[in-house]
Amino acid sequence: AAAQLRRRLESELEDIRGAGTWKSERVIASRQGPHLRLAGGGAGIINFCANNYLGLSSHPEVIRAAVEALEKFGAGLSSVRFICGTQSIHKDLEEKIARFHQREDAILYASCFDANAGIFEALLSPEDAVLSDELNHASIIDGIRLCKANKYRYKHMDMQDLEAKLKEAQKYRLRLVATDGAFSMDGDIAPLREICQLAQKYDALVFIDECHATGFLGPSGRGTDELLGVMDKVTIINSTLGKALGGAAGGYTTGPKPLIDLLRQRSRPYLFSNSLPPAVVGCASKALDLLMESNAIAQSMAAKTQRFRSKMAAAGFTISGKDHPICPVMLGDARLASVMAEDMLNRGIYVIGFSYPVVPKGKARIRVQISAVHSDEDIDRCVEAFTEVGQKHGAL
Ligand code: PLP
């Protein structure tokens, strides 16, 4: 059986290579940040592909907070939360997250993937319906698969389609509309005002995944709901501690207290997985303190995003989305995206090409992600490299 399994796996791996969708991992030999050293050479690489939007992953105060939490509270809990895995820092962080989002309560998970895997099954039953944007993140799709509610998939950001499906779903007890706040492949933002209006009209609840919004979208960085003026209309938020909020790991749900109480009783990734390690809690807690003190970091990121988007447009590139630090440079052809990304790295700019099946056929792109800790020179060097490489490969 072992030999048979090995043959099957090797053939599957060969198929992946043959399809050109093999994902290889570059090894980084330095901290996460705007400038990286790659293992086996490559120093001084400018990094444009982390979700380190606010540059907090290696912020000295965030690192210090992690070290202090590690020393005071230890390496980890060796327990799930409800047995003997809850420390004061876990409760403090949950309170801080709820305060940040202006919600009643919050619950921590090991990741936002887990938060998404745990919410739908705990909340929805066969009497209910869930309506999900077709381009939602894989973890929302998987979380919805695990629940027994009636499932509807509406066309990406298509309000007519959502309305038609809400009408169909009127026969169920409860309707939940689930959408990413900001979509990570296109850098586009869900039309939450319209979604909330429809939700009101058809008596539905709204859930948003804010992984690519928390900490920097909206006047005080609260996210897409703040940006679009619907903080009081979105009922449930899931987000991550592993991107803008320090970048360590962890996720959460924040919303009405009875929902959070229920998740503590029923949500399987919460009940059956270890507590977040103290150092990770320390990082996220400090990141939130920094963001609640001042919005300067988010504003600096927004200014750099603007600089990159406008200079790239002036150079003749098409950048998808609007105002978001995810800046997909649209190229169309998969091979072009892959060779251009490789050539960018040869010029010291680390970016990644995405093609089918991660994005639709014919919509290959290089995704650039801007961080508050990029300097104006970093941004300009990136635009210059794109221009050279784009001219060389006939993309301009
Ligand atoms: N949701 C979205 C939209 C994401 O982009 C990601 C991460 O890629 C996740 C959820 C999962 O977050 P985490 O890394 O905390 O599991």
Side-chain angles (χ1 to χ4, degrees):
Q4 194 191 23
L5 175 69
R6 180 176 289 270
R7 276 196 303 279
R8 209 197 75 203
L9 296 179
E10 276 165 359
S11 142
E12 218 168 292
L13 293 172
E14 214 31 66
D15 289 350
I16 298 173
R17 279 195 197 92
T21 55
W22 186 267
K23 291 177 276 308
S24 43
E25 298 175 6
R26 283 212 174 84
V27 181
I28 297 169
S30 58
R31 287 179 178 177
Q32 181 60 277
H35 301 136
L36 298 177
R37 187 160 51 81
L38 298 180
I45 303 289
I46 312 180
N47 178 17
F48 284 96
C49 52
N51 303 304
N52 184 20
Y53 299 115
L54 299 176
L56 298 181
S57 302
S58 297
H59 191 288
E61 286 189 52
V62 172
I63 294 173
R64 202 172 317 120
V67 171
E68 281 168 10
L70 181 66
E71 284 183 343
K72 188 163 176 199
F73 292 96
L77 273 302
S78 308
S79 170
V80 298
R81 288 285 298 275
F82 79 94
I83 298 181
C84 60
T86 301
Q87 293 170 317
S88 52
I89 46 172
H90 295 92
K91 297 307 287 179
D92 291 348
L93 178 56
E94 286 171 341
E95 182 278 321
K96 207 175 277 185
I97 289 168
R99 190 152 39 88
F100 181 79
H101 285 285
Q102 299 172 25
R103 299 310 203 267
E104 289 173 17
D105 202 355
I107 175 174
L108 287 171
Y109 286 86
S111 67
C112 185
F113 202 109
D114 276 354
N116 286 341
I119 190 160
F120 300 101
E121 189 198 16
L123 180 64
L124 304 174
S125 73
E127 297 164 281
D128 304 316
V130 56
L131 303 97
S132 172
D133 187 295
E134 65 180 348
L135 293 191
N136 276 343
H137 189 258
S139 53
I140 300 180
I141 295 169
D142 286 6
I144 290 176
R145 272 195 198 134
L146 290 171
C147 84
K148 296 198 172 66
N150 299 278
K151 293 155 194 152
Y152 295 88
R153 208 164 63 133
Y154 63 91
K155 291 194 192 109
H156 181 48
M157 304 209 303
D158 183 329
M159 293 300 100
Q160 272 185 355
D161 197 32
L162 174 59
E163 180 157 20
K165 290 190 166 132
L166 277 166
K167 277 184 191 157
E168 272 184 54
Q170 281 307 101
K171 52 186 180 267
Y172 298 113
R173 180 182 63 177
L174 184 150
R175 286 149 296 286
L176 179 69
V177 180
T179 180
D180 280 8
F183 289 85
S184 63
M185 280 301 137
D186 288 305
D188 50 354
I189 291 171
L192 280 189
R193 256 185 239 129
E194 293 76 3
I195 289 177
C196 290
Q197 274 163 11
L198 285 176
Q200 205 157 9
K201 184 167 170 191
Y202 294 97
D203 194 21
L205 297 172
V206 178
F207 160 98
I208 55 176
D209 174 324
E210 288 283 87
C211 282
H212 295 278
T214 301
F216 55 92
L217 284 191
S220 60
R222 266 45 178 179
T224 320
D225 58 341
E226 186 192 31
L227 178 74
L228 298 174
V230 290
M231 282 183 92
D232 56 339
K233 301 207 165 57
V234 170
T235 306
I236 309 166
I237 295 175
N238 276 9
S239 193
T240 185
L241 305 172
K243 300 192 194 299
L245 299 185
Y252 58 85
T253 296
T254 184
K257 184 164 183 338
L259 168 70
I260 304 303
D261 288 345
L262 182 79
L263 292 174
R264 287 192 207 281
Q265 303 304 313
R266 293 264 172 82
S267 181
R268 292 167 69 83
Y270 179 81
L271 287 170
F272 301 112
S273 188
N274 212 17
S275 301
L276 270 190
V280 168
V281 174
C283 286
S285 188
K286 177 53 75 177
L288 283 167
D289 288 344
L290 292 172
L291 297 182
M292 289 199 267
E293 266 163 35
S294 151
N295 198 28
I297 310 174
Q299 278 167 0
S300 144
M301 194 259 323
K304 279 156 196 162
T305 298
Q306 191 47 40
R307 185 181 185 96
F308 179 78
R309 281 180 171 271
S310 59
K311 288 199 165 196
M312 285 292 282
F317 286 101
T318 302
I319 312 293
S320 166
K322 190 172 158 280
D323 299 335
H324 196 281
I326 292 174
C327 305
V329 181
M330 303 306 287
L331 297 167
D333 182 66
R335 227 187 82 75
L336 179 64
S338 146
V339 294
M340 275 184 64
E342 209 53 51
D343 244 4
M344 292 290 286
L345 189 62
N346 295 335
R347 285 167 171 74
I349 307 288
Y350 187 8
V351 285
I352 298 283
F354 289 90
S355 52
Y356 181 80
V358 182
V359 295
K361 272 191 181 141
K363 294 214 165 160
R365 78 260 335 244
I366 291 177
R367 186 175 73 171
V368 172
Q369 288 170 287
I370 305 295
S371 168
V373 283
H374 283 129
S375 65
D376 285 348
E377 294 73 50
D378 293 337
I379 305 275
D380 295 351
R381 271 192 58 195
C382 183
V383 176
E384 274 160 32
F386 261 113
T387 310
E388 280 170 32
V389 168
Q391 277 164 353
K392 175 177 161 193
H393 293 285
L396 281 177

